[in-house]
Amino acid sequence: MSPASPAHSEAPAAAPPRLMALATVVILGSIMSVLDVTVVNVAMHPLAEHFDTSLATIQWVASGYSLSLAAVIPVTAWAIGRFGTKPVYMTALVLFVAGSLLAGLAWSPGTLVAFRVIQGLGGGMIMPTGMTIMMRAATPETTGRMMSILGIPILIGPLAGPILGGWLIDAFSWRWMFTINVPVGALALVLAARILPSVPGSPGRRLDLPGLLMLSPGLAGFIYGLSTGAERRDFGSWDVLLPAVAGLALVTGFLVRARRSPAGLIDLRLYRNRSFATGAATLSLFVVGYFGSMLMLPMYFQVVRGESITASGLLGSPLALSAGITMQFSGRLSDRVSPRKLVASGVALAALGMALLTVQLSDDLAYWRLGLSLAVLGTGVGLTIMPTMAAATRGLSSEEAPSASTALQINSQTAASIGMAFFSVMLSTGAGGDSTVPHHAEPFADTYAWAVVFMLAALLPALRLPLRAPSAARPVDAGTAEQRTPVHG
């Protein structure tokens, strides 16, 4: 793939901001987007009671956000190329903050769902745009360090979300789950206006409207079908099958068309790059096994062990803490050692931790033993996710960054939805087909075994990642290097 032309670069004219200054802006936005998913998940019952409506109706508060998030991700790459990262990122923040404020003022289930959709439109652009900003700020030698910073929100969200959501509801009101984003988002907007480089986009960049009309509704329909089927633990009804099948058909149509279109919504030529293709495959398989199965952990604590929402979040902390700590040095390590050796070791260690959890899980397993298994799993996760993304994106040109970040976000979002649906079905099957959550540990253990299978499957593409360490790899050409924002410190 040829490097981007200088006309499409986005390097600032003045001295560039330091990596940590950029990271502060990106993390503030990203952590709001990630937290908002897990915070709301613990509030379904209180919201249903407040609005005197059914859980099926109030579930759209979560589903509406997820669907709008999935629908807007595909257009992000085009918007970045057309307008530049700074306007797109700030627009995403404005939408998210406005949606948060309105959601906190909602007066009915319908208005709450509508305002959550506005939130999702902003949230869907925050992550890929933030990743593009950081990719352009990094050199090939510092890509791993940058990815370790980007991983902070992904790991904090699942840990802090249930705890924060439960505390806000118990101590204040469900409205605070949304309005708390307003001051944080306002700070992120001020910092973005001051720190992010202002470089215009390309006015002649046309939107692939036919591609957008296939990919965005396709992803939304497919994810809706999977999410609804997982929620009901029933994939046989027409209102689950129809959107899932129609969505899959639209996504397939997009892929067929994009292969023939040189100016598609997402540049599929990225997948000709072996590092990107194997990294995306590794990440997708790993996400199916990890994120899909991790949704069962709070259920196990709450239903089998009788713990509260807040306690279940705290009991899962060994996983998030070990992953977060490991991620901070694994990103830097990935700038110096072989991606193949590092990622394969991480995947194998995560599979070992998941296997330890699987073989030990019982109705009365000692929490210290469970925590130790989660710590091993988390260490493997920290050695896998961000080093894989670093390996996939290292050396890509500035022009390729938006498509790369968008493609990885789509892959991860879809893989997580597939994982949640798959493990929901497996858990239900293990409970004898009952639609309720099982009250014993055995179905959980049987379902976790599938997570081990997916993680081991992720080893296959991981073993095809580059063998040479980045420091030993051939430097990128001058044309590409000139387009990157240098990183200091």
Side-chain angles (χ1 to χ4, degrees):
M1 287 176 286
S2 62
S5 63
H8 292 104
S9 66
E10 197 159 328
R18 296 173 67 87
L19 178 62
M20 289 309 299
L22 287 173
T24 300
V25 180
V26 172
I27 287 174
L28 279 174
S30 300
I31 203 166
M32 287 192 303
S33 175
V34 174
L35 269 176
D36 224 56
V37 177
T38 53
V39 165
V40 171
N41 284 344
V42 303
M44 292 296 102
H45 185 64
L47 286 172
E49 286 188 335
H50 176 83
F51 289 112
D52 192 22
T53 189
S54 66
L55 283 174
T57 298
I58 213 67
Q59 183 66 33
W60 277 99
V61 173
S63 299
Y65 180 88
S66 298
L67 294 180
S68 62
L69 184 146
V72 79
I73 287 175
V75 78
T76 306
W78 168 81
I80 291 171
R82 173 63 179 81
F83 302 105
T85 51
K86 183 173 183 176
V88 173
Y89 194 74
M90 293 186 68
T91 299
L93 288 175
V94 168
L95 284 171
F96 190 86
V97 171
S100 298
L101 178 60
L102 291 170
L105 300 173
W107 56 89
S108 67
T111 56
L112 182 55
V113 171
F115 298 148
R116 284 283 287 168
V117 168
I118 296 175
Q119 264 193 308
L121 293 176
M125 291 190 289
I126 284 175
M127 290 293 285
T129 308
M131 182 181 291
T132 300
I133 290 169
M134 299 300 287
M135 285 173 62
R136 288 176 169 174
T139 63
E141 293 75 25
T142 59
T143 300
R145 185 191 312 175
M146 172 269 295
M147 286 298 177
S148 68
I149 294 170
L150 283 176
I152 294 174
I154 297 174
L155 291 171
I156 288 179
L159 170 64
I163 301 172
L164 178 62
W167 176 69
L168 287 173
I169 292 171
D170 291 339
F172 301 100
S173 162
W174 64 265
R175 298 183 186 275
W176 279 86
M177 295 190 306
F178 305 112
T179 53
I180 197 173
N181 291 323
V182 176
V184 179
L187 176 61
L189 272 170
V190 171
L191 293 177
R194 293 175 60 88
I195 293 173
L196 297 185
S198 298
V199 178
S202 175
R205 188 179 178 93
R206 297 180 60 184
L207 175 63
D208 177 20
L209 188 58
L212 179 64
L213 293 176
M214 285 190 284
L215 185 56
S216 288
L219 284 173
F222 183 61
I223 290 174
Y224 169 79
L226 292 178
S227 301
T228 305
E231 177 194 343
R232 300 177 185 173
R233 293 187 176 86
D234 175 18
F235 289 85
S237 58
W238 68 268
D239 56 336
V240 171
L241 282 174
L242 183 60
V245 172
L248 184 59
L250 285 171
V251 172
T252 303
F254 167 81
L255 294 174
V256 172
R257 182 181 180 277
R259 290 187 62 186
R260 304 170 183 170
S261 174
L265 198 63
I266 296 175
D267 187 0
L268 295 186
R269 292 174 297 178
L270 285 168
Y271 290 93
R272 298 177 187 172
N273 181 313
R274 177 174 168 177
S275 295
F276 184 84
T278 52
T282 301
L283 193 64
S284 295
L285 288 168
F286 191 84
V287 163
V288 170
Y290 173 61
F291 284 103
S293 65
M294 279 302 98
L295 283 178
M296 298 190 301
L297 193 60
M299 293 187 215
Y300 166 77
F301 285 130
Q302 293 169 31
V303 179
V304 178
R305 306 300 292 266
E307 301 289 353
S308 66
I309 294 173
T310 303
S312 66
L314 291 171
L315 287 167
S317 60
L319 172 63
L321 289 175
S322 59
I325 293 170
T326 305
M327 187 176 292
Q328 294 314 300
F329 70 80
S330 71
R332 292 163 174 79
L333 192 63
S334 70
D335 291 327
R336 299 193 298 271
V337 304
S338 162
R340 183 184 302 177
K341 294 178 181 178
L342 179 62
V343 173
S345 298
V347 172
L349 190 61
L352 173 62
M354 188 67 78
L356 289 173
L357 181 64
T358 301
V359 299
Q360 295 184 95
L361 202 64
S362 65
D363 292 358
D364 56 357
L365 175 65
Y367 280 147
W368 72 266
R369 292 175 60 186
L370 192 150
L372 184 61
S373 300
L374 292 177
V376 174
L377 171 60
T379 302
V381 171
L383 289 171
T384 299
I385 294 181
M386 290 307 164
T388 302
M389 296 180 75
T393 57
R394 182 175 279 113
L396 296 181
S397 70
S398 177
E399 190 176 53
E400 293 166 330
S403 275
S405 61
T406 301
L408 288 176
Q409 288 294 320
I410 290 173
N411 282 2
S412 297
Q413 182 81 8
T414 305
S417 298
I418 291 172
M420 287 184 281
F422 177 83
F423 285 100
S424 177
V425 171
M426 291 297 103
L427 186 61
S428 177
T429 302
D434 192 349
S435 61
T436 61
V437 179
H439 285 70
H440 298 284
E442 185 177 356
F444 286 91
D446 293 342
T447 305
Y448 275 130
W450 283 101
V452 180
V453 173
F454 279 105
M455 289 181 175
L456 292 176
L459 270 176
L460 299 178
L463 292 172
R464 292 182 58 82
L465 288 169
L467 183 59
R468 289 187 299 176
S471 57
R474 180 171 56 87
V476 296
D477 58 77
T480 300
E482 287 173 359
Q483 297 157 41
R484 295 187 178 276
T485 304
V487 176
H488 302 274

